[in-house]
Amino acid sequence: GEAALTDEAIDELSQRRDKLEKEKREFEARVQKLRKLQKGLGGNVKELKVAHQKCKTNLTEALDLAQSLEDLFVKKLEHVQRSCEQTVKNNQISVFSLINILINTIHLGRYTRDHYDAFLR
């Protein structure tokens, strides 16, 4: 009886050992998978950092470009404004000149008329 029981116990222990070894192999396989995943994630993080840096660079370039365009636009507007102011001044001078010519013409007309009337008398 005791020998049979011992054989049974040994069989049971062997089975438990086999089961534990199988679980250990599965666990190690999962650990390997996780390590591979971790490596992959490390690579992804590096790629993300590079992409992030590129984005920052692109944003900086875009902001610089926007600033340049704004400066150019402001300069152009200032130029147009000065040009308009100059045109207005020139037009004012032209209008004053025309008014002077008109006044002089009227005076000349009166002068001529008066002298002509005097001449006719």
Side-chain angles (χ1 to χ4, degrees):
E2 266 184 45
L5 185 67
T6 305
D7 284 347
E8 251 179 56
I10 288 172
D11 281 351
E12 194 182 313
L13 284 172
S14 283
Q15 284 174 0
R16 278 169 61 190
R17 185 196 65 208
D18 290 348
K19 188 181 170 196
L20 282 172
E21 279 180 350
K22 186 183 170 201
E23 284 177 5
K24 181 185 169 194
R25 280 193 303 275
E26 288 171 357
F27 179 76
E28 284 172 348
R30 275 193 290 177
V31 166
Q32 282 302 110
K33 268 188 182 173
L34 285 172
R35 286 205 174 115
K36 261 189 181 173
L37 267 176
Q38 187 181 19
K39 247 187 200 173
L41 284 174
N44 289 353
V45 167
K46 275 182 193 164
E47 285 174 20
L48 282 172
K49 281 182 178 171
V50 169
H52 181 242
Q53 191 54 52
K54 279 184 186 169
C55 283
K56 279 167 69 177
T57 302
N58 287 348
L59 181 61
T60 303
E61 285 174 8
L63 288 173
D64 289 348
L65 188 61
Q67 186 61 54
S68 298
L69 285 172
E70 188 182 347
D71 293 346
L72 201 62
F73 188 64
V74 167
K75 278 182 188 164
K76 188 71 178 164
L77 274 180
E78 286 171 350
H79 174 73
V80 169
Q81 184 183 356
R82 279 195 303 275
S83 182
C84 286
E85 285 170 356
Q86 192 56 50
T87 303
V88 167
K89 277 182 193 163
N90 292 346
N91 287 347
Q92 284 174 344
I93 291 168
S94 298
V95 167
F96 287 136
S97 299
L98 285 174
I99 290 171
N100 280 333
I101 291 170
L102 191 61
I103 290 170
N104 289 339
T105 307
I106 291 169
H107 284 317
L108 187 64
R110 284 185 183 149
Y111 176 81
T112 307
R113 188 195 60 206
D114 291 346
H115 279 269
Y116 187 66
D117 285 349
F119 173 74
L120 285 179
R121 283 190 204 124

